[in-house]
Amino acid sequence: MKKKKTTKDVENYVLTLPISVEFWQACILDKRYTCLRRLYNYAQRTLLNHYNIAVNTNAYKNVVKAIKDKVLSINKREKKLESLKDTMPVNEYKKQMSELRSEYKGIKNPLYDFFRNYTFTVSRIHSKDNTPDKFTFTEFGILSFATKLASKRNRNGSMPYKELGINTANLSAIGNALWAAWEKKLYSKNESGDEIRLHFKRWNESVPIVSKMGRNEFVGMQLRLEDFSLKVKTNGRTGKLATWMTLELNKNHNWTSYEMYALEGGVKSVKTVSIFRKPLGMDKKYYLQLTMEGHKPDKGRLLGTGNVGIDLGRSTVAVSSNSSVFIDKLAQRVDNIEYKLAVIERAMDRSRRKLNPQNYNADGTVKRGIKLIWHRSGRYEILCKKREELHRKQAAIRKQCHIDEANRILSLGNKFVIEKNDFRTMNKEGREKVTNQKTGKVYRKKWICKSLANHAPSMFKTILKNKVESLGGSFIEVPTDTAASQYDFTNDSYTKHDVSVRKVTLSDGKVHQRDMLAAFNLQHLEGKVYNRKVMINDYRKFCEMESKEMTLYRDKIKKGDKQTIGV
């Protein structure tokens, strides 16, 4: 018998289209966003209050104590087993170790059972027979709690949220977002081993308006692809009493073949419809996001043939293939906005201090230990939006630069080899401070995290990986112990170099740029062994392409940090 396809087996992709919204329509949508944000924060706060009650019960404390005791006993047995490793048979050792690992996997089962069985009630939510409903800290329990918030009255208390057009599809989207946050809090820890903190939606953040396909139509929406329009219900009534507003897709939008092909399947191929907004300068732009069922349309991009070695640094990417060798600066078109940000933030600080003198001590520091109320002026709000716009532009330019660079690399081969660098650990490392010998003040303190934030190498790797895998290529991440930048294939040896060294001399006397040589080594890596025979054959061609690339930097045809690249 054939197995039925589940939702996980079906391929989906997202299509985003701009919407032209009039002022009165924007007011209705903004009110809907405000209602959804308040409902999300109310649900989050209610769940957090009941969670704090649950973790203070004796039953929860006993479960946690039992888990800790079991972890200690497993660790003791594992240490004892490690000490007897040399004296016992290999098969017996592996068998006992696998038993310990299986025990460790099921160590949190009592915690799962506790939260499944723990129930709580919310005073304002009742069932049809006017008895309080019971909820649990499970996916179903949180979803059922969120979907019943439609009967809750808004802040003014004049009418319930469902009368403002909030339907079950909007609330189920809130429930999914809540469960994604609570699943991490209940059963996971952060990097330092502490409990993961929950976050609330700020006043300038919004929850998207989501609608799912019901029996034959979307809940609270009507999508018409014939005239590219979307009808949104503005109240909670049905039939003739329901009121609708029509949103049209941007008529000035240049339709691409990719978008037209995606919409060929009609409304039946659309699974979910969501409307979200993005800040753009001093204004907001609204977009329609369609989750489509099926294969992603082809944009006409093809992979090349052969191996491609990629050496990814904090601010550069070096690539070596059979047809091309080059090194580029990541996100070259990103501007330096540090001065503009400093000017805006100084003005914000002056405004904040002038309006809130009661929140500062005599020495100018912020008061601690008490709840502070901050007042914002209209000028302060304008400065906030200017700062947001600077960061938005930087992020958009950075992402587009990464996409362009990834598209260029795609045509070089079909097997891409890259080192698995952990940029999160690099983010914690700092460079040496430089102090003035006369005054003793620090006048230069450059941190690695600023370079990582500006160039975003991890985001580039994610974009390239997704593109390669979607086109059917192989993207291989090798551990850093392969030491691609230290390997000398001419005499099959490893030589450690300092991070500041940009030029490497091989045993044959030839000098190479460090990153491009590392990319050349990764190109010829097979498993954990370098293929020296093929490297010797390709070495001459690599030297010619590398010298051409370095000439472009020397002649200033390609711009980049000469110290970083090593020109």
Side-chain angles (χ1 to χ4, degrees):
M1 292 177 67
K2 291 184 179 180
K3 290 183 179 179
K4 291 184 179 180
K5 285 188 176 181
T6 61
T7 53
K8 294 181 180 179
D9 299 330
V10 180
E11 288 189 16
N12 299 320
Y13 63 95
V14 176
L15 181 66
T16 305
L17 301 169
I19 309 174
S20 55
V21 178
E22 296 181 20
F23 178 75
W24 66 275
Q25 293 173 333
C27 292
I28 294 172
L29 289 175
D30 289 344
K31 188 174 182 180
R32 185 80 60 88
Y33 286 127
T34 304
C35 293
L36 290 173
R37 178 181 59 82
R38 287 175 181 170
L39 284 171
Y40 179 90
N41 288 340
Y42 168 77
Q44 192 79 287
R45 188 168 57 250
T46 305
L47 290 170
L48 190 60
N49 290 338
H50 287 286
Y51 171 77
N52 291 332
I53 295 169
V55 295
N56 286 319
T57 58
N58 291 329
Y60 178 80
K61 290 176 182 178
N62 293 334
V63 169
V64 172
K65 187 181 177 183
I67 290 172
K68 285 182 179 178
D69 294 341
K70 197 169 184 180
V71 169
L72 287 172
S73 67
I74 289 172
N75 290 339
K76 284 181 182 178
R77 284 155 60 194
E78 190 175 358
K79 285 180 182 178
K80 188 177 180 180
L81 195 62
E82 285 289 340
S83 62
L84 300 172
K85 182 179 178 181
D86 299 330
T87 59
M88 63 191 306
V90 178
N91 294 335
E92 184 65 25
Y93 171 78
K94 288 182 178 179
K95 183 182 176 182
Q96 291 190 24
M97 282 297 289
S98 64
E99 288 175 358
L100 286 174
R101 283 168 189 157
S102 61
E103 266 187 70
Y104 197 81
K105 282 181 182 177
I107 205 166
K108 285 189 177 180
N109 287 342
L111 195 64
Y112 300 151
D113 295 336
F114 172 80
F115 284 115
R116 282 196 203 102
N117 298 324
Y118 181 83
T119 58
F120 62 92
T121 58
V122 181
S123 58
R124 296 183 184 180
I125 298 176
H126 298 274
S127 58
K128 291 181 180 179
D129 56 353
N130 208 24
T131 57
D133 286 327
K134 293 183 178 181
F135 305 104
T136 57
F137 283 99
T138 58
E139 184 176 5
F140 176 77
I142 290 176
L143 276 171
S144 62
F145 167 63
T147 51
K148 291 189 178 181
L149 292 175
S151 59
K152 183 182 178 299
R153 293 187 176 271
N154 63 353
R155 184 174 287 185
N156 300 328
S158 57
M159 62 176 68
Y161 279 103
K162 62 183 177 182
E163 292 296 325
L164 298 172
I166 306 297
N167 53 48
T168 54
N170 305 146
L171 295 172
S172 64
I174 290 177
N176 290 328
L178 287 168
W179 170 244
W182 275 95
E183 189 178 18
K184 292 177 184 177
K185 182 175 177 63
L186 293 173
Y187 308 121
S188 303
K189 302 286 182 183
N190 58 15
E191 292 177 2
S192 58
D194 299 327
E195 197 176 74
I196 294 172
R197 291 184 64 185
L198 294 172
H199 298 281
F200 293 85
K201 297 290 182 184
R202 295 184 179 181
W203 63 272
N204 58 349
E205 295 179 351
S206 59
V207 179
I209 302 168
V210 182
S211 178
K212 294 183 179 180
M213 178 66 80
R215 293 178 181 176
N216 294 315
E217 58 182 13
F218 292 98
V219 181
M221 291 186 189
Q222 292 178 6
L223 179 64
R224 294 184 61 185
L225 296 178
E226 297 83 14
D227 55 354
F228 298 108
S229 64
L230 176 71
K231 281 189 173 183
V232 181
K233 190 187 284 188
T234 56
N235 64 357
R237 306 298 176 87
T238 57
K240 294 180 179 181
L241 297 175
T243 56
W244 301 80
M245 70 172 179
T246 305
L247 303 176
E248 293 183 356
L249 296 180
N250 197 340
K251 294 177 181 178
N252 298 326
H253 178 64
N254 296 322
W255 292 90
T256 61
S257 59
Y258 174 85
E259 293 167 343
M260 297 304 293
Y261 180 81
L263 297 173
E264 273 184 1
V267 180
K268 291 182 179 179
S269 61
V270 181
K271 293 180 72 176
T272 60
V273 178
S274 60
I275 306 169
F276 68 97
R277 64 182 179 184
K278 284 184 179 180
L280 189 67
M282 305 301 290
D283 202 359
K284 296 183 184 114
K285 294 292 181 183
Y286 297 84
Y287 295 90
L288 178 67
Q289 199 173 67
L290 306 176
T291 304
M292 316 292 289
E293 185 177 341
H295 295 283
K296 191 177 179 181
D298 188 13
K299 290 186 178 180
R301 295 194 183 96
L302 297 172
L303 294 175
T305 54
N307 294 358
V308 181
I310 302 170
D311 183 74
L312 188 61
R314 293 192 298 266
S315 60
T316 58
V317 56
V319 180
S320 174
S321 66
N322 295 330
S323 58
S324 180
V325 174
F326 60 89
I327 180 170
D328 284 341
K329 187 179 178 182
L330 286 171
Q332 293 183 27
R333 299 196 299 273
V334 171
D335 301 323
N336 187 7
I337 60 170
E338 298 301 324
Y339 177 73
K340 292 180 182 178
L341 276 177
V343 171
I344 291 171
E345 286 171 356
R346 282 200 299 268
M348 289 172 67
D349 186 60
R350 288 195 299 271
S351 175
R352 198 164 48 238
R353 287 176 182 274
K354 196 168 185 179
L355 277 173
N356 306 279
Q358 73 281 358
N359 294 343
Y360 292 91
N361 297 315
D363 59 352
T365 57
V366 180
K367 290 181 180 178
R368 301 291 181 188
I370 56 172
K371 187 176 180 180
L372 302 176
I373 298 172
W374 296 90
H375 301 285
R376 294 182 171 194
S377 64
R379 180 172 171 270
Y380 187 88
E381 297 292 345
I382 292 170
L383 289 170
C384 283
K385 288 182 179 179
K386 284 183 178 179
R387 186 177 63 172
E388 284 179 15
E389 181 64 9
L390 275 176
H391 285 296
R392 186 199 66 80
K393 283 183 179 178
Q394 288 289 85
I397 294 169
R398 188 184 299 115
K399 186 175 180 181
Q400 190 58 48
C401 287
H402 287 342
I403 290 171
D404 295 341
E405 189 73 28
N407 290 338
R408 181 189 174 188
I409 295 172
L410 286 176
S411 60
L412 299 178
N414 59 352
K415 182 182 177 182
F416 299 83
V417 185
I418 188 171
E419 279 189 329
K420 192 176 182 179
N421 293 319
D422 191 0
F423 293 104
R424 288 179 298 179
T425 56
M426 289 185 189
N427 202 10
K428 297 175 183 178
E429 298 172 1
R431 291 188 181 177
E432 189 177 344
K433 298 177 183 179
V434 181
T435 56
N436 192 326
Q437 294 180 355
K438 292 182 180 179
T439 60
K441 291 183 178 179
V442 177
Y443 67 87
R444 192 178 74 187
K445 186 174 67 174
K446 190 176 180 182
W447 297 96
I448 292 172
C449 55
K450 189 171 286 187
S451 176
L452 289 171
N454 290 334
H455 302 288
S458 184
M459 184 172 75
F460 169 75
K461 186 169 76 171
T462 304
I463 289 170
L464 181 62
K465 182 180 179 181
N466 292 339
K467 285 179 175 289
V468 170
E469 290 178 349
S470 66
L471 292 172
S474 59
F475 191 87
I476 302 168
E477 293 185 61
V478 297
T480 52
D481 57 12
T482 54
S485 60
Q486 302 175 18
Y487 182 65
D488 184 354
F489 77 94
T490 56
N491 60 356
D492 196 20
S493 64
Y494 292 88
T495 307
K496 196 170 184 178
H497 309 287
D498 193 62
V499 180
S500 60
V501 177
R502 294 289 95 196
K503 290 183 179 180
V504 176
T505 306
L506 299 182
S507 63
D508 61 353
K510 290 186 179 180
V511 181
H512 296 280
Q513 204 278 339
R514 176 178 178 161
D515 299 332
M516 284 194 277
L517 181 64
F520 176 71
N521 290 338
L522 288 169
Q523 180 191 353
H524 298 89
L525 183 67
E526 296 177 358
K528 290 187 177 181
V529 182
Y530 294 100
N531 193 336
R532 288 187 67 203
K533 290 182 180 180
V534 182
M535 292 177 83
I536 292 166
N537 294 333
D538 297 344
Y539 183 52
R540 185 177 176 182
K541 190 177 179 181
F542 165 75
C543 292
E544 292 174 359
M545 291 188 288
E546 185 198 22
S547 62
K548 286 180 182 178
E549 181 69 11
M550 299 303 284
T551 305
L552 294 176
Y553 281 101
R554 289 193 196 96
D555 297 342
K556 297 183 179 179
I557 298 171
K558 286 183 78 171
K559 293 181 180 180
D561 186 3
K562 291 185 177 181
Q563 186 179 358
T564 305
I565 293 168
V567 178

